[in-house]
Amino acid sequence: MYLFAPGKYNVENYMVDSLTSVEQYNAKFANYPIIVFSAVDDETKARVLERVKPKTRMYWVPIHKLYEVKLPELPVFSNKTFTKGIGECAGLQWDPAYLLMVRFRSVTMWRLPIIQNFDYIVSIDADAAVPYSNIDFFEQISTHDKVIGYLHCNMDSACVVGMWDYAEQWMKQKGIEPTAWGELARDVSYSGGFLVFQTKFFTSHPQVQELFDHFDASGNIIFRRWAEQSLFAMAVAMFAPKDSAYFIGGDFDVTHHKKSFPKIPGCPGSKKPACCDYQ
């Protein structure tokens, strides 16, 4: 399990709700370890642990340094200042901490040694929870031998301007013959609050790592909020077998800010209804 914190809300309460729900999930299925990538202070962490009283193996990975409000050390950012308006899309100016989170999930996370110890991970935002589940997400995705599992996806055309052309130029430059690019609708993104990953595809496939580095070097994860939700879809469509994306179905509920996530196979509004789920 993977959990991310903090965000613009009562961090402690949301983390307690999220971790408690994961504890209940584990009690029903298996003692899956929980990894908490956290930028909260020690006092908040102590209060969360006291309230949750976890029985699961829980690993807290501090990422405070990744949340220092400064631009990544990349040539593209030379002589630039990290201001709130540096990352814009759809008329919105994104908070620097949010943009750093996007970069962490797109690039940095996959190189952390702790991630590489697991065959599969479920990513859960700190403001998300699993109130109940009658399915084991790990068993479902491993049984079907999928690379990524999603609850729903959407068309994010406002915030990925130029992203698809950039990816196609890179594929052409590298002479890459993608496995399922023609099946993927432009501008599609997997909703990132809850995703299941086959870890080795994202950590060990050399061209996936090269793709992530290429996007990182462009600076547009920060400048334009070229987000991980679309980058994951691209990586799967380029390098995974054609049927590697999996819609997570079954009897369960996942909430975000206490509201249920919609569970929708395919992509509403897309002319390619199977753009996300290659089955």
Side-chain angles (χ1 to χ4, degrees), residues 107-126:
V107 182
T108 313
M109 182 182 78
W110 301 109
R111 295 208 165 97
L112 295 178
I114 193 169
I115 288 292
Q116 300 178 32
N117 291 325
F118 301 99
D119 296 323
Y120 296 91
I121 57 173
V122 175
S123 71
I124 307 175
D125 282 356

Side-chain angles (χ1 to χ4, degrees), residues 27-267:
K28 186 170 185 176
F29 293 103
N31 187 29
Y32 295 121
I34 301 173
I35 308 169
V36 185
F37 293 117
S38 174
V40 300
D41 56 47
D42 290 341
E43 291 77 12
T44 302
K45 173 185 172 182
R47 290 195 302 270
V48 169
L49 289 173
E50 175 60 27
R51 292 172 63 185
V52 174
K53 294 180 173 57
K55 297 179 181 179
T56 299
R57 289 169 292 163
M58 192 174 292
Y59 305 97
W60 287 69
V61 181
I63 54 172
H64 301 81
K65 291 184 178 180
L66 298 175
Y67 265 71
E68 294 175 0
V69 182
K70 63 180 182 181
L71 289 168
E73 294 180 1
L74 295 169
V76 71
F77 293 120
S78 298
N79 303 316
K80 294 187 182 297
T81 303
F82 206 162
T83 61
K84 184 173 182 180
I86 197 170
E88 299 187 19
C89 75
L92 299 174
Q93 295 185 348
W94 297 93
D95 186 271
Y98 173 83
L99 296 170
L100 289 170
M101 179 199 72
V102 171
R103 182 174 184 260
F104 173 80
R105 291 171 28 148
S106 302
V107 182
T108 313
M109 182 182 78
W110 301 109
R111 295 208 165 97
L112 295 178
I114 193 169
I115 288 292
Q116 300 178 32
N117 291 325
F118 301 99
D119 296 323
Y120 296 91
I121 57 173
V122 175
S123 71
I124 307 175
D125 282 356
D127 52 9
V130 188
Y132 80 90
S133 178
N134 287 321
I135 66 166
D136 184 328
F137 304 116
F138 293 106
E139 182 178 321
Q140 191 176 82
I141 195 170
S142 62
T143 298
H144 293 283
D145 192 27
K146 303 301 180 180
V147 166
I148 194 167
Y150 69 95
L151 292 184
H152 76 285
C153 55
N154 51 53
M155 310 307 291
D156 194 7
S157 57
C159 294
V160 294
V161 175
M163 189 174 182
W164 297 83
D165 291 336
Y166 190 73
E168 288 173 346
Q169 289 169 4
W170 181 76
M171 283 194 292
K172 183 177 181 180
Q173 176 188 349
K174 293 289 181 179
I176 292 169
E177 294 292 336
T179 56
W181 192 261
E183 305 294 324
L184 191 71
R186 289 175 69 92
D187 305 334
V188 69
S189 66
Y190 299 119
S191 296
F194 186 94
L195 288 168
V196 188
F197 299 97
Q198 183 192 82
T199 314
K200 67 180 180 180
F201 175 80
F202 294 92
T203 60
S204 302
H205 194 299
Q207 288 183 301
V208 170
Q209 290 293 313
E210 188 178 358
L211 171 68
F212 290 173
D213 286 342
H214 182 66
F215 271 85
D216 192 31
S218 75
N220 285 323
I221 292 174
I222 300 295
F223 286 135
R224 298 188 183 181
R225 206 220 78 172
W226 281 3
E228 77 282 9
Q229 295 101 315
S230 291
L231 192 54
F232 295 155
M234 290 179 177
V236 173
M238 286 183 193
F239 304 119
K242 191 175 179 180
D243 61 348
S244 293
Y246 184 68
F247 170 67
I248 305 169
D251 184 20
F252 67 94
D253 186 29
V254 173
T255 61
H256 179 248
H257 286 263
K258 301 185 184 298
K259 295 181 180 179
S260 293
F261 262 108
K263 291 183 283 188
I264 307 171
C267 291

